[in-house]
Amino acid sequence: MTNDQSLRVGLIGTGYIGTTVGGQFHHHPKSTVAAITEIDADRRTTAAERFSVPSAALYDDYEEMIADAALDAILVGTPHTLHYEQIMAGLDADLHVFCDKPLATDLGHAKEIAERVAASDRTLMVGYQRHLNPAFISARERFEDTKPTWITAEITQDWLPQFTDTWRTDPDLSGGGMLYDTGSHLLDGLLWTSGLEPTAVFSRMEFVDDERRVDSEATVLIEFANGATANVSVSGDLPCVREHIHLWNEDGAVSLDGRQWEPRSVTDVDTDNTEHVPYIDHDDQVNKAEAFLTAIEKGSAPPATVHDALRVTAVTEAAYESARTGEWVDVDLD
C-alpha cells in the first residue's frame, strides 16, 4: 500500500465479521475489497454485489484466492478452528492479516503464529474491539503505573438459544463454547486493561455436550504474577447481554459496564467511595479497518496484537483443561 494505491483486501468468509469489517474496508478511501472467498454461492454473490467485486475475483477456496488474486491483505472472518491455517497461508504469501477473535483454538498454533509474525514485517491484527473502545482505553491508562490487585468480570448472553445447531456450538469449528466465543472478549478486556501477566487458572463449566467440549457457562479464577486474582463468569443461557468488569487496587476501582452491544461506560471510584465519571468521546473511536490501515501505514503495532491474543488463548485453553480435570492449570506462555 502506498499513498497512491489502496490496500487490496481479500475476504475469507462473508458472515458477520466478513460483511461488517469488510464494509469498513469497502468504504475507506485507502482500501478496497478486491476478492472474496465464500463456500456458499448465494452469500458469495450477495457480498460481491455489496462490495462491487467482479465475478472473476470470487472464489470458493481461500488458497486459490490467495494464489490467484492481487492482494495486499486478507480478512479472516471464518469459524474459530479455521483461523490458524488461513492466517499462516496469508503470511506465507507475504500478506497483512486481519483476523477475527480468537487467534487460534490451539495454544501450539497460537504460539506458532506469534513466532511467525515476530519474524515478519507483516501486520497481524486481531479483532478484539475493546482495544478501540474509549472506556477501556481510559481504564487501561488508569492502571499503567499501579496495577489492579483484585478483579471481577462477567458477561451474560442468550448465546445458547441463538446458536444451537450452528457452527458456534460445533466444537470442531468453534473450538469450544461460550468462553471461546463471547467470553473471549471478556477475557481479553480484563487482560488488556489490567496489563497483568496470568500464571494459573482454575475453572468449572456447564457443558451441553457429552464430550464436554461446548460450555454454556463458565466460572474462571485467574492468578497473576503480581499476586492479583480475577473471578470471571460467563453465561450463555440468560435472556440478554450485560457486561461488568471491576478492577480494584489501593487507590480505588474502575468499573466498566454495558448492555447489549452498546458503547461501554467507565466509572472511577476513589478511596472515599466517591464515583467520578470521566469524559468519554465515543465519536473519536476508530473502527477496526481504520486501525488496521493506520498500523500498516505507520509500521506500528496494531491495537490488538498477536501477543494480546496469544494470552487469551493460553488462559482459555487452561480454563478448559481445568474444568475437565478439576485441577489448577498453569498458564503456558513460554
Side-chain angles (χ1 to χ4, degrees):
M1 182 180 67
T2 68
N3 290 333
D4 300 323
Q5 179 183 343
S6 292
L7 186 83
R8 299 165 297 184
V9 182
L11 307 186
I12 304 178
T14 61
Y16 176 77
I17 294 299
T19 54
T20 302
V21 183
Q24 295 170 5
F25 284 118
H26 176 63
H27 292 293
H28 198 283
K30 292 186 178 181
S31 62
T32 184
V33 176
I36 295 172
T37 298
E38 171 56 60
I39 60 175
D40 184 284
D42 291 338
R43 288 171 57 174
R44 188 165 62 239
T45 300
T46 299
E49 293 173 351
R50 176 181 296 186
F51 301 135
S52 304
V53 177
S55 59
L58 303 181
Y59 302 86
D60 60 8
D61 181 271
Y62 74 90
E63 292 177 314
E64 183 182 355
M65 180 188 75
I66 289 173
D68 184 62
L71 299 174
D72 303 299
I74 56 171
L75 185 161
V76 177
T78 53
H80 305 155
T81 60
L82 306 181
H83 291 180
Y84 165 73
E85 290 186 356
Q86 293 165 353
I87 290 170
M88 295 301 281
L91 295 174
D92 285 344
D94 203 29
L95 302 177
H96 302 287
V97 179
F98 177 95
C99 181
D100 189 33
K101 61 80 194 158
L103 177 68
T105 57
D106 177 277
L107 184 55
H109 286 168
K111 290 181 177 181
E112 188 177 344
I113 295 169
E115 291 171 359
R116 182 64 179 277
V117 171
S120 168
D121 64 353
R122 300 295 89 179
T123 295
L124 188 151
M125 177 174 163
V126 183
Y128 285 119
Q129 63 262 26
R130 282 153 180 76
H131 297 223
L132 301 171
N133 187 306
F136 281 83
I137 293 171
S138 173
R140 178 176 165 86
E141 291 171 350
R142 161 73 165 73
F143 292 108
E144 279 182 340
D145 297 324
T146 308
K147 297 300 183 185
T149 56
W150 192 66
I151 302 169
T152 60
E154 66 176 58
I155 195 164
T156 62
Q157 185 184 6
D158 53 342
W159 180 87
L160 188 62
Q162 280 192 71
F163 299 123
T164 297
D165 297 326
T166 71
W167 70 263
R168 293 179 189 274
T169 51
D170 177 352
D172 291 334
L173 292 173
S174 65
M178 174 68 174
L179 188 64
Y180 244 137
D181 200 12
T182 305
S184 188
H185 287 294
L186 185 70
L187 286 176
D188 169 71
L190 75 89
L191 290 172
W192 183 73
T193 301
S194 69
L196 295 174
E197 193 71 13
T199 56
V201 168
F202 183 84
S203 175
R204 64 161 298 277
M205 295 182 180
E206 291 291 332
F207 292 99
V208 296
D209 63 326
D210 294 336
E211 296 180 345
R212 292 170 59 82
R213 296 175 68 191
V214 180
D215 56 295
S216 62
E217 177 183 298
T219 300
V220 183
L221 303 179
I222 307 172
E223 291 184 345
F224 297 95
N226 73 333
T229 57
N231 188 334
V232 182
S233 298
V234 305
S235 178
D237 198 14
L238 291 173
C240 58
V241 176
R242 291 279 176 160
E243 181 177 20
H244 308 285
I245 302 176
H246 307 285
L247 307 101
W248 288 83
N249 64 15
E250 61 183 11
D251 298 321
V254 172
S255 295
L256 294 151
D257 301 279
R259 62 179 189 178
Q260 297 305 107
W261 308 120
E262 298 171 358
R264 291 341 191 199
S265 63
V266 59
T267 304
D268 293 334
V269 181
D270 64 22
T271 54
D272 295 324
N273 203 26
T274 302
E275 294 186 354
H276 308 270
V277 179
Y279 174 72
I280 297 294
D281 188 353
H282 287 281
D283 291 337
D284 287 342
Q285 181 172 342
V286 300
N287 64 37
K288 295 176 181 178
E290 173 73 27
F292 183 61
L293 288 160
T294 298
I296 293 171
E297 192 170 27
K298 293 184 176 181
S300 58
T305 69
V306 66
H307 296 290
D308 294 324
L310 171 61
R311 295 199 312 160
V312 179
T313 294
V315 170
T316 306
E317 287 292 278
Y320 280 107
E321 182 181 346
S322 175
R324 296 183 185 111
T325 63
E327 304 288 341
W328 279 91
V329 176
D330 290 339
V331 176
D332 180 9
L333 289 169
D334 295 328

